[in-house]
């Protein structure tokens, strides 16, 4: 390496630092994959003894990935039972989404971030969660209100969650028109692979969990017609869930709907409570959301090494069998309601065409930079092509797949519902951790169960 080359290399890396500072990029997102950043917090949540400390991640809410950190902080506080703190963090995430919506034009910061992504990677782009995350955000904010005693506040949030399912679908359809011409064999093959992974779940923005929660709140707050509508939407997404089927039969009978006879033939007679009975409704969340993986392919352009890194998911998703609940007189089997992992995979599938376009532009930009550096080295007649070597190292180091996603969401959700005599019950999941609940006559005891693997948390409320 000659001394003439050193200023060029220094200029290259100075430009890198300047580019990152202009875009407001957090170093963590660009060079350290996101799943490894959040792993210690998931370990704390899953430990029966570890104390959760959110100070460090909450301090990042003002960073480039602030929306994601606000979602994670809110969810972790919520899992830990701190609904007040969770609400504060979720409010910050909601404000961040609204800021994205309210931007009338691209700001200088946005332009810089987009430019940085062409030199660095997609992690330089400020994080805006996919539609399913925004929907889940409002649903979980509804839970914060509900378990803090504000049922009306909860209803406002789940209504917003349902509205977003429609608006996100419209947004996706518009974006698809702009990327249809970009499709090619590689894109089609990857989309097909991801589609096979998700099974019967065909989109990221139709969420049976959200519709069911809205329907449940409508019913418990005395609005059975609205409840029927949302239960039916949930059943259209998850048609084989017997609890949803029973809900539809029951409400169709109570409301004297013409569909009652059809539902009765398909799913049996409506089950109604007996005298002195109350209702137990269980929402069971299992595990943590699936993590994105990185697919990296090295290749050369004009003798210069390049790499391409894209986010992907495993070809198979874990299926949780029906969870058994003991303690209600008989063994009650929960049934699958929503596969959050499948929503995440579909979200990646829907974003893939645009992501590949950004990747192609980035590959071209880096190849041009490498060629420029090599030409400069040849002009200076360096005995060792140090600038080109440095450029290749730069390309390899900075090419990181965007693996950001909301990782403290559950992997899957199941529900169970049963009428029991009023009294006190000691319930448990799979004969493991247990809790005591009260059931009152003509009331509903809602039990929200969060099972992270090594630890199970129970939160209940009587409505």
């Amino acid at each position: 390496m000659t001394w003439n080359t050193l200023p060029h290399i220094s200029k290259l890396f100075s430009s890198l630092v300047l580019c990152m500072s202009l875009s407001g990029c957090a170093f963590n997102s660009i060079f350290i994959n996101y799943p490894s950043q959040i792993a210690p917090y998931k370990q704390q949540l899953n430990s029966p003894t570890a104390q959760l400390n959110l100070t460090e991640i909450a301090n990042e809410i003002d960073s480039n990935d602030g929306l994601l950190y606000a979602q994670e902080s809110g969810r972790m506080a919520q899992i830990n039972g701190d609904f007040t703190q969770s609400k504060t963090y979720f409010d910050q995430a909601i404000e961040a989404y609204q800021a994205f919506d309210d931007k009338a034009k691209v700001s200088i910061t946005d332009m810089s971030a987009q430019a940085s992504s062409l030199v660095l990677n997609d992690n330089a782009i400020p994080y805006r969660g996919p539609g399913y995350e925004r929907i889940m955000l409002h649903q979980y904010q509804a839970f914060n209100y509900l378990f803090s005693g504000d049922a009306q506040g909860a209803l406002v949030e789940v209504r917003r969650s349902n509205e977003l399912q429609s608006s996100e679908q419209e947004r996706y359809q518009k974006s698809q028109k702009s990327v249809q011409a970009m499709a090619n064999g590689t894109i089609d093959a990857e989309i097909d692979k991801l589609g096979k992974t998700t099974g019967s779940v065909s989109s990221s923005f139709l969420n049976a969990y959200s519709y069911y929660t809205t329907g449940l709140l409508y019913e418990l707050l005395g609005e059975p017609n609205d409840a029927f509508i949302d239960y039916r939407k949930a059943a259209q997404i998850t048609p084989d869930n017997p609890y949803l089927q029973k809900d539809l039969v029951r409400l169709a009978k109570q409301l004297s709907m013409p569909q009652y006879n059809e539902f009765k033939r398909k799913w049996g007679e409506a089950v109604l409570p007996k005298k002195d009975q109350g209702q137990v409704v269980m929402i069971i969340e299992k595990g943590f959301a699936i993590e994105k993986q990185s697919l990296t392919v090295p290749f050369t352009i004009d003798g210069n090494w390049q790499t391409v890194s894209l986010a992907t998911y495993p070809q198979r998703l874990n299926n949780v069998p029906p969870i058994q609940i003991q303690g209600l007189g008989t063994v009650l089997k929960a049934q699958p309601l929503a596969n959050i992992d499948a929503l995440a995979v579909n979200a990646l599938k829907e974003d893939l065409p645009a992501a590949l376009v950004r990747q192609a532009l980035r590959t071209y930009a880096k190849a041009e930079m490498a060629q420029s550096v090599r030409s400069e080295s040849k002009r200076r007649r360096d005995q060792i092509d140090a600038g080109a070597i440095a450029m290749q190292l730069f390309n390899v180091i900075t090419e990181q797949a965007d693996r950001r996603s909301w990782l403290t969401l559950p992997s899957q959700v199941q529900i169970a519902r049963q009428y029991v005599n009023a009294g006190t019950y000691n319930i448990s999941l799979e004969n493991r951790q247990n809790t005591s609940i009260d059931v009152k006559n003509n009331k509903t005891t809602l039990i929200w169960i969060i099972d992270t693997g090594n630890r199970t948390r129970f939160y209940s409320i009587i409505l």
Side-chain angles (χ1 to χ4, degrees):
M1 180 185 302
T2 67
W3 289 107
N4 288 334
T5 306
L6 290 176
H8 191 90
I9 298 174
S10 175
K11 182 180 179 181
L12 172 67
F13 285 96
S14 295
S15 298
L16 167 62
V17 173
L18 177 61
C19 178
M20 292 173 65
S21 63
L22 285 174
S23 63
C25 301
F27 281 80
N28 283 348
S29 298
I30 293 177
F31 295 114
I32 304 174
N33 70 77
Y34 183 74
S36 67
Q37 296 178 48
I38 207 69
Y41 296 98
K42 291 165 63 177
Q43 291 171 0
Q44 292 175 37
L45 289 171
N46 200 25
S47 170
T49 57
Q51 296 296 313
L52 181 65
N53 185 353
L54 296 178
T55 302
E56 186 174 350
I57 189 171
N59 287 339
E60 295 294 327
I61 290 177
D62 293 329
S63 71
N64 197 55
D65 294 337
L67 188 152
L68 180 56
Y69 291 129
Q71 290 182 160
E72 298 282 22
S73 299
R75 173 62 176 165
M76 288 188 284
Q78 185 179 68
I79 291 174
N80 215 37
D82 190 345
F83 301 120
T84 300
Q85 187 62 63
S86 174
K87 182 178 178 297
T88 299
Y89 289 137
F90 281 159
D91 279 340
Q92 291 176 278
I94 291 170
E95 289 175 3
Y97 276 112
Q98 291 172 341
F100 278 111
D101 294 342
D102 293 341
K103 286 182 180 177
K105 58 183 180 180
V106 179
S107 67
I108 294 177
T109 300
D110 291 331
M111 293 175 62
S112 179
Q114 293 288 340
S116 298
S117 74
L118 294 181
V119 179
L120 302 169
N121 53 63
D122 275 2
N123 292 282
I125 301 173
Y127 186 81
R128 184 197 186 279
Y132 82 93
E133 289 187 7
R134 189 172 185 176
I135 291 164
M136 293 293 293
L137 171 63
H138 284 278
Q139 180 185 330
Y140 280 135
Q141 189 69 303
F143 280 177
N144 283 334
Y145 279 107
L146 184 63
F147 284 87
S148 298
D150 185 354
Q152 290 298 328
L155 195 55
V156 170
E157 289 295 330
V158 291
R159 282 173 176 158
R160 181 60 183 142
S161 177
N162 280 8
E163 290 170 3
L164 282 168
Q165 299 207 57
S166 298
S167 62
E168 285 296 327
Q169 184 173 11
E170 292 174 3
R171 189 171 70 88
Y172 168 69
Q173 290 170 344
K174 289 179 181 179
S175 67
Q176 282 301 98
K177 292 179 182 179
S178 65
V179 299
Q180 282 175 351
M182 304 171 187
N184 59 35
T186 301
I187 295 176
D188 292 342
E190 185 65 13
I191 289 176
D192 183 61
K193 186 202 82 172
L194 293 172
K196 291 178 179 177
T197 301
T198 60
S200 61
V201 181
S202 59
S203 76
S204 69
F205 36 76
L206 296 178
N207 186 344
Y209 187 13
S210 178
Y211 282 129
Y212 177 78
T213 302
T214 312
L216 179 63
L217 283 178
Y218 275 135
E219 183 180 3
L220 296 180
L221 295 177
E223 301 182 37
N225 285 286
D226 291 329
F228 180 86
I229 293 171
D230 282 324
Y231 283 152
R232 191 160 193 180
K233 289 178 181 178
Q236 288 171 345
I237 301 170
T238 311
D240 297 327
N241 188 294
Y243 295 106
L244 281 173
Q245 296 167 358
K246 292 176 182 177
D247 288 337
L248 290 173
V249 177
R250 174 174 47 78
L251 284 179
K253 182 176 183 177
Q254 291 175 349
L255 297 170
S256 301
M257 288 185 164
Q259 299 97 325
Y260 170 63
N261 288 328
E262 176 193 350
F263 291 168
K264 180 181 176 180
R265 282 195 308 270
K266 292 169 62 176
W267 301 319
E269 182 58 84
V271 178
L272 300 175
K274 298 177 182 177
K275 185 180 179 180
D276 298 328
Q277 281 192 325
Q279 180 178 212
V280 175
V281 177
M282 297 185 187
I283 298 175
I284 306 167
E285 298 183 349
K286 190 76 174 176
F288 288 117
I290 190 171
E291 297 179 357
K292 290 178 182 177
Q293 299 178 349
S294 179
L295 175 64
T296 301
V297 180
F299 60 95
T300 59
I301 296 180
D302 296 330
N304 294 306
W305 278 101
Q306 297 278 112
T307 59
V308 170
S309 292
L310 288 172
T312 187
Y313 280 110
Q315 293 191 12
R316 289 188 179 181
L317 301 180
N318 294 325
N319 289 318
V320 178
I323 298 169
Q324 295 188 350
I325 302 107
Q326 294 83 16
L328 292 173
T330 60
V331 176
L332 185 63
K333 284 189 177 181
Q335 295 294 331
L337 174 66
N339 189 327
I340 309 302
D341 287 346
L343 298 180
V345 175
N346 270 309
L348 179 62
K349 180 182 72 173
E350 292 157 5
D351 182 60
L352 187 61
L356 286 174
V357 169
R358 292 194 301 270
Q359 182 66 64
L361 292 173
R362 182 161 53 249
T363 299
Y364 175 79
K366 288 185 175 181
E368 288 294 298
M369 289 172 63
Q371 184 59 40
S372 175
V373 171
R374 171 168 275 184
S375 298
E376 177 69 12
S377 296
K378 288 181 178 179
R379 187 182 69 81
R380 295 175 179 274
R381 297 183 177 181
D382 293 339
Q383 294 181 351
I384 302 176
D385 199 355
I389 294 173
M391 189 67 235
Q392 292 181 39
L393 289 173
F394 168 82
N395 289 342
V396 171
I397 292 171
T398 58
E399 187 56 35
Q400 301 284 337
D402 185 358
R403 298 173 63 188
R404 295 173 296 177
S405 65
W406 191 355
L407 293 180
T408 50
L409 288 176
S411 172
Q412 296 179 42
V413 182
Q414 299 188 13
I415 57 171
R417 195 165 184 162
Q418 183 168 303
Y419 294 112
V420 297
N421 294 330
T424 299
Y425 296 84
N426 194 44
I427 64 168
S428 65
L429 262 63
E430 311 288 353
N431 288 315
R432 295 189 289 123
Q433 288 144 303
N434 57 64
T435 191
S436 178
I437 64 163
D438 291 324
V439 179
K440 294 184 178 180
N441 184 29
N442 293 323
K443 295 286 187 178
T444 295
T445 300
L446 174 61
I447 310 169
W448 181 23
I449 304 171
I450 304 173
D451 183 358
T452 56
N454 294 327
R455 186 171 178 180
T456 304
R457 295 169 172 86
F458 299 85
Y459 300 108
S460 65
I461 187 172
I462 298 176
L463 298 166

